[in-house]
Amino acid sequence: MKTQSSATVPSSIAVTVPRERHGLGTALAFLGVASFSLTFPATAWGLEGFGPWSLVAARCVLAALVAGGCLLALKVPLPDRRHLPGLAVVAAGVVLGFPMLTTLALQTSTTAHAAVVVGLLPLTTAVLSAVRMGSRPSRRFWLAALAGAAAVVAFTLTQSGGALTAADGYLFAALLVCAAGYTEGGRLARVMPGWQVIGWALVLCTPLTVPAAAVALSYEPVQLTWHGIAGLLWVALGSQFLGLVVWYRGMAAIGIPRASQLQLAQPLLTLVWSALLLGEHFTAAAPLTAVAVLVCIAVTQRS
């Protein structure tokens, strides 16, 4: 009896621990997606009170202050020199590139139109992950990812009338730099806590963002409205720091390709927030697309 009991306990542990870790990782990654889904509406609010350069620089500085305070309070040692190139990619892609390019795009583009490119982000991240880290997802994974991306693109193009604007250049560039930042951040989150990855990336940018904020705020007019302040606070603390903390931790737990496919739901969530917060109207195609996307997400998670 003892031998039988001792044989069953390890097998039970071996089965349940990975499942619990996968469930927690999925929940954290989706929490990050939910926070990111508010980024475009919050940016639109922020542009009501700040100029584009002021908004981008101020969000980076505020997020860096919070991240730096956490790093100091917890006495976190400086990152190893071998991690600095990866942190530089995260800083260039996630901290600077994506916020700057999408903010410039949203000056002339609607949030629905911008969601077209965001719908392609999971597939781009999975491709970069496969190239950078040598991962080889199954054929079913890629088919489901392509189907989900196609569903999101079709829906968002329908909602925006299928018209392409000059802002697409900014949006496609933002797509590439953000996917690179996600890939490097997910890789680093395997060897250091996710909040430290984005925390150090934000701190590394302060020599650029602090002077940029001072110059931008002195040249661009500022109108302190509730929408402007709320939008700035969310993109700085929710999107730029807290959302990336849980996102990188989730990617480290379940892998970059699987986590990236959860972002297929982000454009639909963004459209919901845009309707509620910005007063944009959408057709009944939303629930049908949502079901199709959720089916694709389920397939990628099981592949």
PDB file of all heavy atoms in Angstrom, residues 173-212:
ATOM      1  N   ALA A 173       4.274  50.399 -38.696  1.00  0.00           N
ATOM      2  CA  ALA A 173       5.570  50.503 -38.015  1.00  0.00           C
ATOM      3  C   ALA A 173       5.415  50.181 -36.532  1.00  0.00           C
ATOM      4  O   ALA A 173       6.253  49.492 -35.932  1.00  0.00           O
ATOM      5  CB  ALA A 173       6.146  51.907 -38.202  1.00  0.00           C
ATOM      6  N   ALA A 174       4.312  50.655 -35.928  1.00  0.00           N
ATOM      7  CA  ALA A 174       4.049  50.355 -34.520  1.00  0.00           C
ATOM      8  C   ALA A 174       3.864  48.860 -34.311  1.00  0.00           C
ATOM      9  O   ALA A 174       4.297  48.295 -33.295  1.00  0.00           O
ATOM     10  CB  ALA A 174       2.805  51.110 -34.058  1.00  0.00           C
ATOM     11  N   LEU A 175       3.217  48.205 -35.264  1.00  0.00           N
ATOM     12  CA  LEU A 175       3.011  46.761 -35.179  1.00  0.00           C
ATOM     13  C   LEU A 175       4.334  46.020 -35.096  1.00  0.00           C
ATOM     14  O   LEU A 175       4.522  45.135 -34.256  1.00  0.00           O
ATOM     15  CB  LEU A 175       2.216  46.302 -36.401  1.00  0.00           C
ATOM     16  CG  LEU A 175       2.115  44.805 -36.666  1.00  0.00           C
ATOM     17  CD1 LEU A 175       1.245  44.141 -35.612  1.00  0.00           C
ATOM     18  CD2 LEU A 175       1.557  44.557 -38.053  1.00  0.00           C
ATOM     19  N   LEU A 176       5.283  46.383 -35.938  1.00  0.00           N
ATOM     20  CA  LEU A 176       6.564  45.682 -35.993  1.00  0.00           C
ATOM     21  C   LEU A 176       7.392  45.915 -34.731  1.00  0.00           C
ATOM     22  O   LEU A 176       7.947  44.971 -34.153  1.00  0.00           O
ATOM     23  CB  LEU A 176       7.350  46.128 -37.230  1.00  0.00           C
ATOM     24  CG  LEU A 176       6.741  45.733 -38.581  1.00  0.00           C
ATOM     25  CD1 LEU A 176       7.546  46.332 -39.735  1.00  0.00           C
ATOM     26  CD2 LEU A 176       6.684  44.226 -38.714  1.00  0.00           C
ATOM     27  N   VAL A 177       7.486  47.169 -34.284  1.00  0.00           N
ATOM     28  CA  VAL A 177       8.337  47.443 -33.120  1.00  0.00           C
ATOM     29  C   VAL A 177       7.718  46.870 -31.849  1.00  0.00           C
ATOM     30  O   VAL A 177       8.432  46.418 -30.943  1.00  0.00           O
ATOM     31  CB  VAL A 177       8.598  48.956 -32.966  1.00  0.00           C
ATOM     32  CG1 VAL A 177       9.334  49.500 -34.177  1.00  0.00           C
ATOM     33  CG2 VAL A 177       7.311  49.739 -32.727  1.00  0.00           C
ATOM     34  N   CYS A 178       6.384  46.849 -31.761  1.00  0.00           N
ATOM     35  CA  CYS A 178       5.733  46.296 -30.577  1.00  0.00           C
ATOM     36  C   CYS A 178       5.917  44.783 -30.521  1.00  0.00           C
ATOM     37  O   CYS A 178       6.180  44.219 -29.452  1.00  0.00           O
ATOM     38  CB  CYS A 178       4.247  46.639 -30.585  1.00  0.00           C
ATOM     39  SG  CYS A 178       3.380  46.186 -29.061  1.00  0.00           S
ATOM     40  N   ALA A 179       5.798  44.106 -31.661  1.00  0.00           N
ATOM     41  CA  ALA A 179       6.002  42.660 -31.696  1.00  0.00           C
ATOM     42  C   ALA A 179       7.420  42.305 -31.280  1.00  0.00           C
ATOM     43  O   ALA A 179       7.645  41.326 -30.553  1.00  0.00           O
ATOM     44  CB  ALA A 179       5.705  42.116 -33.085  1.00  0.00           C
ATOM     45  N   ALA A 180       8.392  43.106 -31.711  1.00  0.00           N
ATOM     46  CA  ALA A 180       9.776  42.872 -31.304  1.00  0.00           C
ATOM     47  C   ALA A 180       9.940  43.069 -29.803  1.00  0.00           C
ATOM     48  O   ALA A 180      10.628  42.283 -29.123  1.00  0.00           O
ATOM     49  CB  ALA A 180      10.709  43.809 -32.073  1.00  0.00           C
ATOM     50  N   GLY A 181       9.316  44.115 -29.262  1.00  0.00           N
ATOM     51  CA  GLY A 181       9.400  44.352 -27.822  1.00  0.00           C
ATOM     52  C   GLY A 181       8.731  43.261 -27.012  1.00  0.00           C
ATOM     53  O   GLY A 181       9.235  42.855 -25.955  1.00  0.00           O
ATOM     54  N   TYR A 182       7.590  42.760 -27.488  1.00  0.00           N
ATOM     55  CA  TYR A 182       6.912  41.665 -26.803  1.00  0.00           C
ATOM     56  C   TYR A 182       7.769  40.398 -26.800  1.00  0.00           C
ATOM     57  O   TYR A 182       7.861  39.685 -25.803  1.00  0.00           O
ATOM     58  CB  TYR A 182       5.577  41.360 -27.489  1.00  0.00           C
ATOM     59  CG  TYR A 182       4.457  42.301 -27.132  1.00  0.00           C
ATOM     60  CD1 TYR A 182       3.230  42.240 -27.782  1.00  0.00           C
ATOM     61  CD2 TYR A 182       4.615  43.266 -26.140  1.00  0.00           C
ATOM     62  CE1 TYR A 182       2.192  43.101 -27.460  1.00  0.00           C
ATOM     63  CE2 TYR A 182       3.592  44.132 -25.825  1.00  0.00           C
ATOM     64  CZ  TYR A 182       2.378  44.050 -26.490  1.00  0.00           C
ATOM     65  OH  TYR A 182       1.363  44.897 -26.170  1.00  0.00           O
ATOM     66  N   THR A 183       8.390  40.107 -27.940  1.00  0.00           N
ATOM     67  CA  THR A 183       9.199  38.898 -28.045  1.00  0.00           C
ATOM     68  C   THR A 183      10.385  38.942 -27.097  1.00  0.00           C
ATOM     69  O   THR A 183      10.655  37.984 -26.361  1.00  0.00           O
ATOM     70  CB  THR A 183       9.691  38.715 -29.492  1.00  0.00           C
ATOM     71  OG1 THR A 183       8.555  38.605 -30.365  1.00  0.00           O
ATOM     72  CG2 THR A 183      10.548  37.471 -29.628  1.00  0.00           C
ATOM     73  N   GLU A 184      11.115  40.058 -27.083  1.00  0.00           N
ATOM     74  CA  GLU A 184      12.269  40.176 -26.194  1.00  0.00           C
ATOM     75  C   GLU A 184      11.834  40.229 -24.737  1.00  0.00           C
ATOM     76  O   GLU A 184      12.483  39.646 -23.860  1.00  0.00           O
ATOM     77  CB  GLU A 184      13.081  41.426 -26.540  1.00  0.00           C
ATOM     78  CG  GLU A 184      13.928  41.290 -27.780  1.00  0.00           C
ATOM     79  CD  GLU A 184      14.939  40.161 -27.671  1.00  0.00           C
ATOM     80  OE1 GLU A 184      15.709  40.128 -26.699  1.00  0.00           O
ATOM     81  OE2 GLU A 184      14.943  39.291 -28.559  1.00  0.00           O
ATOM     82  N   GLY A 185      10.730  40.908 -24.468  1.00  0.00           N
ATOM     83  CA  GLY A 185      10.241  40.972 -23.093  1.00  0.00           C
ATOM     84  C   GLY A 185       9.801  39.615 -22.584  1.00  0.00           C
ATOM     85  O   GLY A 185      10.077  39.260 -21.429  1.00  0.00           O
ATOM     86  N   GLY A 186       9.125  38.849 -23.443  1.00  0.00           N
ATOM     87  CA  GLY A 186       8.726  37.505 -23.045  1.00  0.00           C
ATOM     88  C   GLY A 186       9.926  36.604 -22.797  1.00  0.00           C
ATOM     89  O   GLY A 186       9.911  35.767 -21.893  1.00  0.00           O
ATOM     90  N   ARG A 187      10.987  36.761 -23.595  1.00  0.00           N
ATOM     91  CA  ARG A 187      12.201  35.973 -23.398  1.00  0.00           C
ATOM     92  C   ARG A 187      12.881  36.346 -22.076  1.00  0.00           C
ATOM     93  O   ARG A 187      13.290  35.467 -21.303  1.00  0.00           O
ATOM     94  CB  ARG A 187      13.165  36.207 -24.562  1.00  0.00           C
ATOM     95  CG  ARG A 187      14.444  35.384 -24.512  1.00  0.00           C
ATOM     96  CD  ARG A 187      15.377  35.749 -25.644  1.00  0.00           C
ATOM     97  NE  ARG A 187      15.853  37.121 -25.518  1.00  0.00           N
ATOM     98  CZ  ARG A 187      16.891  37.471 -24.739  1.00  0.00           C
ATOM     99  NH1 ARG A 187      17.521  36.559 -24.026  1.00  0.00           N
ATOM    100  NH2 ARG A 187      17.275  38.728 -24.682  1.00  0.00           N
ATOM    101  N   LEU A 188      12.993  37.637 -21.793  1.00  0.00           N
ATOM    102  CA  LEU A 188      13.633  38.080 -20.552  1.00  0.00           C
ATOM    103  C   LEU A 188      12.816  37.705 -19.324  1.00  0.00           C
ATOM    104  O   LEU A 188      13.372  37.471 -18.244  1.00  0.00           O
ATOM    105  CB  LEU A 188      13.839  39.600 -20.587  1.00  0.00           C
ATOM    106  CG  LEU A 188      14.914  40.118 -21.545  1.00  0.00           C
ATOM    107  CD1 LEU A 188      14.883  41.635 -21.600  1.00  0.00           C
ATOM    108  CD2 LEU A 188      16.293  39.632 -21.123  1.00  0.00           C
ATOM    109  N   ALA A 189      11.478  37.647 -19.479  1.00  0.00           N
ATOM    110  CA  ALA A 189      10.626  37.320 -18.330  1.00  0.00           C
ATOM    111  C   ALA A 189      10.811  35.882 -17.871  1.00  0.00           C
ATOM    112  O   ALA A 189      10.306  35.508 -16.804  1.00  0.00           O
ATOM    113  CB  ALA A 189       9.158  37.570 -18.686  1.00  0.00           C
ATOM    114  N   ARG A 190      11.533  35.077 -18.635  1.00  0.00           N
ATOM    115  CA  ARG A 190      11.845  33.717 -18.203  1.00  0.00           C
ATOM    116  C   ARG A 190      13.001  33.678 -17.213  1.00  0.00           C
ATOM    117  O   ARG A 190      13.170  32.689 -16.497  1.00  0.00           O
ATOM    118  CB  ARG A 190      12.185  32.849 -19.409  1.00  0.00           C
ATOM    119  CG  ARG A 190      11.019  32.642 -20.372  1.00  0.00           C
ATOM    120  CD  ARG A 190      11.447  31.776 -21.542  1.00  0.00           C
ATOM    121  NE  ARG A 190      10.324  31.482 -22.436  1.00  0.00           N
ATOM    122  CZ  ARG A 190      10.431  30.749 -23.531  1.00  0.00           C
ATOM    123  NH1 ARG A 190      11.605  30.233 -23.866  1.00  0.00           N
ATOM    124  NH2 ARG A 190       9.364  30.518 -24.285  1.00  0.00           N
ATOM    125  N   VAL A 191      13.808  34.730 -17.201  1.00  0.00           N
ATOM    126  CA  VAL A 191      14.987  34.746 -16.333  1.00  0.00           C
ATOM    127  C   VAL A 191      14.916  35.848 -15.279  1.00  0.00           C
ATOM    128  O   VAL A 191      15.764  35.906 -14.391  1.00  0.00           O
ATOM    129  CB  VAL A 191      16.275  34.901 -17.167  1.00  0.00           C
ATOM    130  CG1 VAL A 191      16.463  33.701 -18.065  1.00  0.00           C
ATOM    131  CG2 VAL A 191      16.242  36.181 -18.002  1.00  0.00           C
ATOM    132  N   MET A 192      13.937  36.734 -15.368  1.00  0.00           N
ATOM    133  CA  MET A 192      13.754  37.791 -14.372  1.00  0.00           C
ATOM    134  C   MET A 192      12.270  38.135 -14.304  1.00  0.00           C
ATOM    135  O   MET A 192      11.547  37.916 -15.278  1.00  0.00           O
ATOM    136  CB  MET A 192      14.591  39.039 -14.720  1.00  0.00           C
ATOM    137  CG  MET A 192      14.271  39.650 -16.064  1.00  0.00           C
ATOM    138  SD  MET A 192      15.505  40.871 -16.646  1.00  0.00           S
ATOM    139  CE  MET A 192      15.406  42.102 -15.349  1.00  0.00           C
ATOM    140  N   PRO A 193      11.780  38.615 -13.159  1.00  0.00           N
ATOM    141  CA  PRO A 193      10.351  38.930 -13.047  1.00  0.00           C
ATOM    142  C   PRO A 193       9.895  39.908 -14.120  1.00  0.00           C
ATOM    143  O   PRO A 193      10.614  40.836 -14.482  1.00  0.00           O
ATOM    144  CB  PRO A 193      10.248  39.545 -11.643  1.00  0.00           C
ATOM    145  CG  PRO A 193      11.402  38.973 -10.894  1.00  0.00           C
ATOM    146  CD  PRO A 193      12.506  38.833 -11.901  1.00  0.00           C
ATOM    147  N   GLY A 194       8.660  39.691 -14.620  1.00  0.00           N
ATOM    148  CA  GLY A 194       8.149  40.522 -15.695  1.00  0.00           C
ATOM    149  C   GLY A 194       8.089  41.999 -15.346  1.00  0.00           C
ATOM    150  O   GLY A 194       8.348  42.853 -16.200  1.00  0.00           O
ATOM    151  N   TRP A 195       7.761  42.326 -14.091  1.00  0.00           N
ATOM    152  CA  TRP A 195       7.668  43.738 -13.728  1.00  0.00           C
ATOM    153  C   TRP A 195       9.037  44.404 -13.756  1.00  0.00           C
ATOM    154  O   TRP A 195       9.150  45.603 -14.027  1.00  0.00           O
ATOM    155  CB  TRP A 195       7.016  43.894 -12.357  1.00  0.00           C
ATOM    156  CG  TRP A 195       7.890  43.554 -11.189  1.00  0.00           C
ATOM    157  CD1 TRP A 195       8.046  42.331 -10.613  1.00  0.00           C
ATOM    158  CD2 TRP A 195       8.720  44.459 -10.447  1.00  0.00           C
ATOM    159  NE1 TRP A 195       8.924  42.401  -9.565  1.00  0.00           N
ATOM    160  CE2 TRP A 195       9.350  43.693  -9.439  1.00  0.00           C
ATOM    161  CE3 TRP A 195       8.989  45.816 -10.539  1.00  0.00           C
ATOM    162  CZ2 TRP A 195      10.242  44.254  -8.524  1.00  0.00           C
ATOM    163  CZ3 TRP A 195       9.869  46.384  -9.636  1.00  0.00           C
ATOM    164  CH2 TRP A 195      10.486  45.615  -8.645  1.00  0.00           C
ATOM    165  N   GLN A 196      10.099  43.619 -13.529  1.00  0.00           N
ATOM    166  CA  GLN A 196      11.437  44.180 -13.616  1.00  0.00           C
ATOM    167  C   GLN A 196      11.853  44.421 -15.062  1.00  0.00           C
ATOM    168  O   GLN A 196      12.593  45.360 -15.366  1.00  0.00           O
ATOM    169  CB  GLN A 196      12.439  43.266 -12.924  1.00  0.00           C
ATOM    170  CG  GLN A 196      12.266  43.185 -11.418  1.00  0.00           C
ATOM    171  CD  GLN A 196      13.320  42.320 -10.749  1.00  0.00           C
ATOM    172  OE1 GLN A 196      14.401  42.106 -11.278  1.00  0.00           O
ATOM    173  NE2 GLN A 196      13.001  41.810  -9.557  1.00  0.00           N
ATOM    174  N   VAL A 197      11.357  43.576 -15.977  1.00  0.00           N
ATOM    175  CA  VAL A 197      11.655  43.768 -17.393  1.00  0.00           C
ATOM    176  C   VAL A 197      11.156  45.129 -17.858  1.00  0.00           C
ATOM    177  O   VAL A 197      11.913  45.946 -18.394  1.00  0.00           O
ATOM    178  CB  VAL A 197      11.023  42.644 -18.242  1.00  0.00           C
ATOM    179  CG1 VAL A 197      11.204  42.940 -19.735  1.00  0.00           C
ATOM    180  CG2 VAL A 197      11.633  41.301 -17.897  1.00  0.00           C
ATOM    181  N   ILE A 198       9.879  45.407 -17.660  1.00  0.00           N
ATOM    182  CA  ILE A 198       9.338  46.687 -18.111  1.00  0.00           C
ATOM    183  C   ILE A 198       9.832  47.826 -17.222  1.00  0.00           C
ATOM    184  O   ILE A 198      10.033  48.947 -17.692  1.00  0.00           O
ATOM    185  CB  ILE A 198       7.781  46.641 -18.135  1.00  0.00           C
ATOM    186  CG1 ILE A 198       7.228  47.921 -18.740  1.00  0.00           C
ATOM    187  CG2 ILE A 198       7.207  46.379 -16.760  1.00  0.00           C
ATOM    188  CD1 ILE A 198       7.712  48.205 -20.159  1.00  0.00           C
ATOM    189  N   GLY A 199      10.080  47.525 -15.930  1.00  0.00           N
ATOM    190  CA  GLY A 199      10.580  48.568 -15.032  1.00  0.00           C
ATOM    191  C   GLY A 199      11.931  49.093 -15.474  1.00  0.00           C
ATOM    192  O   GLY A 199      12.143  50.314 -15.590  1.00  0.00           O
ATOM    193  N   TRP A 200      12.874  48.191 -15.754  1.00  0.00           N
ATOM    194  CA  TRP A 200      14.200  48.625 -16.198  1.00  0.00           C
ATOM    195  C   TRP A 200      14.144  49.253 -17.580  1.00  0.00           C
ATOM    196  O   TRP A 200      14.887  50.201 -17.873  1.00  0.00           O
ATOM    197  CB  TRP A 200      15.170  47.450 -16.185  1.00  0.00           C
ATOM    198  CG  TRP A 200      15.614  47.031 -14.815  1.00  0.00           C
ATOM    199  CD1 TRP A 200      15.440  45.814 -14.228  1.00  0.00           C
ATOM    200  CD2 TRP A 200      16.286  47.850 -13.849  1.00  0.00           C
ATOM    201  NE1 TRP A 200      15.967  45.816 -12.954  1.00  0.00           N
ATOM    202  CE2 TRP A 200      16.498  47.046 -12.702  1.00  0.00           C
ATOM    203  CE3 TRP A 200      16.732  49.162 -13.847  1.00  0.00           C
ATOM    204  CZ2 TRP A 200      17.132  47.528 -11.562  1.00  0.00           C
ATOM    205  CZ3 TRP A 200      17.366  49.649 -12.703  1.00  0.00           C
ATOM    206  CH2 TRP A 200      17.561  48.847 -11.585  1.00  0.00           C
ATOM    207  N   ALA A 201      13.262  48.758 -18.448  1.00  0.00           N
ATOM    208  CA  ALA A 201      13.127  49.369 -19.772  1.00  0.00           C
ATOM    209  C   ALA A 201      12.661  50.818 -19.649  1.00  0.00           C
ATOM    210  O   ALA A 201      13.149  51.705 -20.367  1.00  0.00           O
ATOM    211  CB  ALA A 201      12.151  48.566 -20.625  1.00  0.00           C
ATOM    212  N   LEU A 202      11.721  51.070 -18.755  1.00  0.00           N
ATOM    213  CA  LEU A 202      11.237  52.442 -18.545  1.00  0.00           C
ATOM    214  C   LEU A 202      12.336  53.331 -17.972  1.00  0.00           C
ATOM    215  O   LEU A 202      12.512  54.478 -18.397  1.00  0.00           O
ATOM    216  CB  LEU A 202      10.034  52.425 -17.605  1.00  0.00           C
ATOM    217  CG  LEU A 202       8.716  51.930 -18.203  1.00  0.00           C
ATOM    218  CD1 LEU A 202       7.720  51.582 -17.104  1.00  0.00           C
ATOM    219  CD2 LEU A 202       8.132  52.986 -19.137  1.00  0.00           C
ATOM    220  N   VAL A 203      13.073  52.804 -17.000  1.00  0.00           N
ATOM    221  CA  VAL A 203      14.152  53.580 -16.382  1.00  0.00           C
ATOM    222  C   VAL A 203      15.245  53.892 -17.395  1.00  0.00           C
ATOM    223  O   VAL A 203      15.803  55.000 -17.411  1.00  0.00           O
ATOM    224  CB  VAL A 203      14.723  52.821 -15.167  1.00  0.00           C
ATOM    225  CG1 VAL A 203      15.981  53.504 -14.645  1.00  0.00           C
ATOM    226  CG2 VAL A 203      13.677  52.731 -14.062  1.00  0.00           C
ATOM    227  N   LEU A 204      15.569  52.935 -18.260  1.00  0.00           N
ATOM    228  CA  LEU A 204      16.600  53.164 -19.275  1.00  0.00           C
ATOM    229  C   LEU A 204      16.230  54.305 -20.222  1.00  0.00           C
ATOM    230  O   LEU A 204      17.115  54.953 -20.793  1.00  0.00           O
ATOM    231  CB  LEU A 204      16.824  51.883 -20.085  1.00  0.00           C
ATOM    232  CG  LEU A 204      17.601  50.756 -19.407  1.00  0.00           C
ATOM    233  CD1 LEU A 204      17.614  49.517 -20.304  1.00  0.00           C
ATOM    234  CD2 LEU A 204      19.019  51.199 -19.081  1.00  0.00           C
ATOM    235  N   CYS A 205      14.933  54.563 -20.386  1.00  0.00           N
ATOM    236  CA  CYS A 205      14.488  55.601 -21.315  1.00  0.00           C
ATOM    237  C   CYS A 205      14.462  56.996 -20.713  1.00  0.00           C
ATOM    238  O   CYS A 205      14.270  57.979 -21.449  1.00  0.00           O
ATOM    239  CB  CYS A 205      13.090  55.264 -21.843  1.00  0.00           C
ATOM    240  SG  CYS A 205      13.037  53.833 -22.953  1.00  0.00           S
ATOM    241  N   THR A 206      14.608  57.116 -19.391  1.00  0.00           N
ATOM    242  CA  THR A 206      14.467  58.436 -18.746  1.00  0.00           C
ATOM    243  C   THR A 206      15.438  59.493 -19.259  1.00  0.00           C
ATOM    244  O   THR A 206      15.067  60.673 -19.318  1.00  0.00           O
ATOM    245  CB  THR A 206      14.587  58.301 -17.222  1.00  0.00           C
ATOM    246  OG1 THR A 206      15.789  57.572 -16.891  1.00  0.00           O
ATOM    247  CG2 THR A 206      13.388  57.581 -16.635  1.00  0.00           C
ATOM    248  N   PRO A 207      16.699  59.153 -19.640  1.00  0.00           N
ATOM    249  CA  PRO A 207      17.554  60.206 -20.201  1.00  0.00           C
ATOM    250  C   PRO A 207      16.988  60.828 -21.474  1.00  0.00           C
ATOM    251  O   PRO A 207      17.356  61.954 -21.835  1.00  0.00           O
ATOM    252  CB  PRO A 207      18.875  59.468 -20.484  1.00  0.00           C
ATOM    253  CG  PRO A 207      18.892  58.332 -19.527  1.00  0.00           C
ATOM    254  CD  PRO A 207      17.454  57.900 -19.433  1.00  0.00           C
ATOM    255  N   LEU A 208      16.095  60.110 -22.146  1.00  0.00           N
ATOM    256  CA  LEU A 208      15.453  60.647 -23.340  1.00  0.00           C
ATOM    257  C   LEU A 208      14.083  61.247 -23.036  1.00  0.00           C
ATOM    258  O   LEU A 208      13.734  62.316 -23.552  1.00  0.00           O
ATOM    259  CB  LEU A 208      15.300  59.552 -24.397  1.00  0.00           C
ATOM    260  CG  LEU A 208      16.583  58.971 -25.011  1.00  0.00           C
ATOM    261  CD1 LEU A 208      16.240  57.811 -25.932  1.00  0.00           C
ATOM    262  CD2 LEU A 208      17.352  60.043 -25.761  1.00  0.00           C
ATOM    263  N   THR A 209      13.294  60.559 -22.210  1.00  0.00           N
ATOM    264  CA  THR A 209      11.904  60.968 -22.014  1.00  0.00           C
ATOM    265  C   THR A 209      11.761  62.211 -21.130  1.00  0.00           C
ATOM    266  O   THR A 209      10.855  63.017 -21.352  1.00  0.00           O
ATOM    267  CB  THR A 209      11.091  59.817 -21.410  1.00  0.00           C
ATOM    268  OG1 THR A 209      11.712  59.371 -20.194  1.00  0.00           O
ATOM    269  CG2 THR A 209      11.022  58.642 -22.390  1.00  0.00           C
ATOM    270  N   VAL A 210      12.626  62.367 -20.126  1.00  0.00           N
ATOM    271  CA  VAL A 210      12.505  63.546 -19.251  1.00  0.00           C
ATOM    272  C   VAL A 210      12.774  64.835 -20.017  1.00  0.00           C
ATOM    273  O   VAL A 210      11.958  65.776 -19.975  1.00  0.00           O
ATOM    274  CB  VAL A 210      13.436  63.408 -18.027  1.00  0.00           C
ATOM    275  CG1 VAL A 210      13.474  64.710 -17.233  1.00  0.00           C
ATOM    276  CG2 VAL A 210      12.968  62.263 -17.133  1.00  0.00           C
ATOM    277  N   PRO A 211      13.899  64.969 -20.752  1.00  0.00           N
ATOM    278  CA  PRO A 211      14.076  66.193 -21.552  1.00  0.00           C
ATOM    279  C   PRO A 211      13.000  66.360 -22.622  1.00  0.00           C
ATOM    280  O   PRO A 211      12.553  67.484 -22.886  1.00  0.00           O
ATOM    281  CB  PRO A 211      15.462  65.990 -22.190  1.00  0.00           C
ATOM    282  CG  PRO A 211      16.148  64.986 -21.354  1.00  0.00           C
ATOM    283  CD  PRO A 211      15.073  64.081 -20.849  1.00  0.00           C
ATOM    284  N   ALA A 212      12.580  65.235 -23.226  1.00  0.00           N
ATOM    285  CA  ALA A 212      11.542  65.326 -24.258  1.00  0.00           C
ATOM    286  C   ALA A 212      10.238  65.857 -23.675  1.00  0.00           C
ATOM    287  O   ALA A 212       9.538  66.657 -24.306  1.00  0.00           O
ATOM    288  CB  ALA A 212      11.319  63.957 -24.898  1.00  0.00           C
TER     289      ALA A 212
END
